[in-house]
Amino acid sequence: MTLLKLFLDSADPEKIRRALDFYPLDGVTTNPTILSRQNTELLPLLKELRKITEGKLLFVQVTADKSDDMVREAHLIADRLGGDLCIKIPATEEGLRAIKILSRDGISTTATAVYSVSQAILAAAAGADYVAPYMSHIDNLCLDSAQVAGDMAKLFREHYPKTNVLAASFRVAEQINRAVLCGVGAVTVAPEMLPVMIGNRGTEAELESFEKNWSSVYGDKSVGDLI
Ligand code: G3P
């Protein structure tokens, strides 16, 4: 049995700090859009993210579009940041070549912006550690993203046991539940999704009822005050 990995999709240091404090997270994923939202100098930001995520996995994406340049960028990122890193490489022809080379170099990779099982097969065969289907974008093509991601997961279990599906780009909690139930090995969620996942009106109502019943007997004293 392998445990599901849960990552945070963010480059916002404050949000990451808080999420890592409160939630059971295995690391942080970023991409060029997420990093550019911080609108700040890149290297200090990446170093801060590296520090905050020490001991956990940090995903950083290359922006080059030619395989040799992607490989150079990947090595540079690894040299500058160190630690437990996974380099995200777009699922393109150039990206596949980069994944093959980086896999031989012993650098962990994620094939990203993946839409199809065919792309997933090639990325896994090239040596990617993760393949990241963009769930909401796949759903917007009127395909069933959970089914697509579940097919990838099944395929990897049978043929590429080293590769995990890292499902990304969720808009609603039910998409996450379905992806996990369909067998993906990892999900990455935006900070805003975490309270949506844990929050429940039923739980809130139960807490109100506990509070009412308790205070009718013990007033404002807590368990800690009374034992
Ligand atoms: O990790 C991938 C994710 O950030 C892209 O998804 O649709 O939220 O931009 P989206």
Side-chain angles (χ1 to χ4, degrees), residues 13-106:
E14 283 322 304
K15 289 182 181 172
I16 295 172
R17 269 194 200 89
R18 187 178 188 284
L20 288 177
D21 191 21
F22 281 81
Y23 291 88
L25 298 170
D26 296 290
V28 167
T29 58
T30 66
N31 65 32
T33 304
I34 289 174
L35 286 169
S36 63
R37 270 188 211 132
Q38 295 309 114
N39 196 14
T40 187
E41 263 190 81
L42 184 62
L43 188 57
L45 173 62
L46 288 175
K47 285 193 164 164
E48 190 177 3
L49 299 187
R50 175 69 293 175
K51 204 163 165 219
I52 303 170
T53 58
E54 202 181 335
K56 296 182 184 290
L57 190 53
L58 176 65
F59 294 72
V60 181
Q61 187 168 331
V62 297
T63 54
D65 55 5
K66 293 286 180 236
S67 54
D68 286 332
D69 299 330
M70 291 176 185
V71 170
R72 256 191 298 279
E73 270 186 14
H75 279 285
L76 200 56
I77 295 166
D79 288 348
R80 292 273 202 272
L81 301 184
D84 209 359
L85 267 184
C86 190
I87 306 296
K88 292 171 74 179
I89 309 274
T92 60
E93 202 172 53
E94 294 285 340
L96 270 188
R97 181 168 178 272
I99 290 169
K100 280 205 306 177
I101 296 168
L102 290 169
S103 174
R104 275 183 230 134
D105 292 350

Side-chain angles (χ1 to χ4, degrees), residues 9 29 31 34 37 88 134 137 168-169 171 188:
D9 206 20
T29 58
N31 65 32
I34 289 174
R37 270 188 211 132
K88 292 171 74 179
Y134 274 20
H137 302 232
S169 181
R171 298 287 179 271
T188 185

